[in-house]
Amino acid sequence: MSEGQKKARSKYSATRRLLLKSKLLKKAESLLVKEKEEKELERENILRERAPPLNLSGLSAQEVKEICRDLHQKIDIVDEARYDLNIKVARNDSEILSLTQKIYELKGKMKRPNLRRVKKSADTMLGSVTDTRVDFKAKLKTVKKEEEKKEEVTDWRKNVEAMSGMEGRKKLFDAGQ
């Protein structure tokens, strides 16, 4: 047998693997059920500890009002704590997002943003349906090129003599304007 055939063969047969897989799934299921029961029991214990059952029988109206005020105060305290925790979680989430964005920027891997749908106009819809090709060159604006000013080639010595002195400088100044 070659080395490739040895790798293809498994130590266990298909039926044995199926049996082991089913046993593992049963064990995992039983562990999940047990864990769920433990969490429920723990929850009940915590609720009994934090909020003992109320015994309102035989109490006067004033005592019941007092109990209600205490419960409202406890509810307000819990709501404030919950609100504070929600704000902290939101702040931490935004900080995590910004830090991960910075990491991506430093690595050079930018996350592609989600693409949004673009509404097409009626013309583009018709163009895509009929599949007509538009001549893009026809749509382009024509630009007129200014003709380059061609300087006449003359004898440079004449030009130097004409431009020398104050009159030559005045001609250059006037030509610039």
Side-chain angles (χ1 to χ4, degrees):
M1 272 194 245
S2 69
E3 194 172 326
Q5 289 175 344
K6 286 181 182 178
K7 287 184 180 179
R9 278 191 152 179
S10 176
K11 285 185 176 181
Y12 304 107
S13 66
T15 54
R16 178 74 176 154
R17 279 184 284 171
L18 187 62
L19 178 69
L20 290 173
K21 188 176 182 180
S22 63
K23 284 185 178 183
L24 280 173
L25 287 174
K26 284 180 185 177
K27 181 67 175 175
E29 184 181 5
S30 66
L31 288 174
L32 282 174
V33 169
K34 188 176 178 182
E35 183 180 344
K36 191 175 184 180
E37 289 172 356
E38 287 175 359
K39 282 186 178 182
E40 187 65 31
L41 184 65
E42 183 181 347
R43 181 179 182 274
E44 289 175 6
N45 289 337
I46 290 173
L47 284 176
R48 266 193 238 113
E49 180 183 310
R50 289 187 182 173
L54 294 175
N55 188 8
L56 299 177
S57 62
L59 296 177
S60 67
Q62 187 64 28
E63 291 173 337
V64 172
K65 286 181 182 178
E66 198 62 38
I67 290 174
C68 287
R69 283 189 195 114
D70 290 342
L71 287 176
H72 278 290
Q73 286 176 350
K74 288 180 181 179
I75 289 171
D76 288 342
I77 291 170
V78 169
D79 280 344
E80 287 175 6
R82 182 177 51 88
Y83 179 76
D84 290 342
L85 287 175
N86 284 340
I87 297 260
K88 281 183 181 179
V89 167
R91 211 178 280 150
N92 287 342
D93 286 344
S94 64
E95 187 177 346
I96 287 170
L97 285 175
S98 67
L99 290 175
T100 53
Q101 187 68 29
K102 284 182 182 178
I103 289 171
Y104 279 120
E105 288 173 2
L106 290 175
K107 286 184 177 179
K109 297 178 183 177
M110 292 299 293
K111 186 177 180 183
R112 279 179 54 184
N114 293 335
L115 299 177
R116 295 183 182 169
R117 242 173 223 211
V118 178
K119 292 184 179 179
K120 291 184 177 182
S121 66
D123 295 335
T124 55
M125 291 284 283
L126 287 174
S128 64
V129 170
T130 58
D131 198 35
T132 57
R133 305 248 175 192
V134 180
D135 186 19
F136 291 109
K137 288 183 180 180
K139 288 187 176 182
L140 294 176
K141 293 181 181 178
T142 57
V143 179
K144 295 180 182 177
K145 293 184 180 179
E146 295 181 22
E147 293 181 22
E148 295 179 16
K149 296 178 182 177
K150 294 183 181 177
E151 295 184 19
E152 296 177 13
V153 179
T154 58
D155 189 15
W156 63 273
R157 285 170 272 186
K158 291 180 185 175
N159 197 12
V160 169
E161 289 174 7
M163 292 297 173
S164 65
M166 288 301 285
E167 288 182 27
R169 290 195 181 156
K170 185 178 178 196
K171 287 180 186 175
L172 285 174
F173 181 74
D174 290 339
Q177 290 180 348

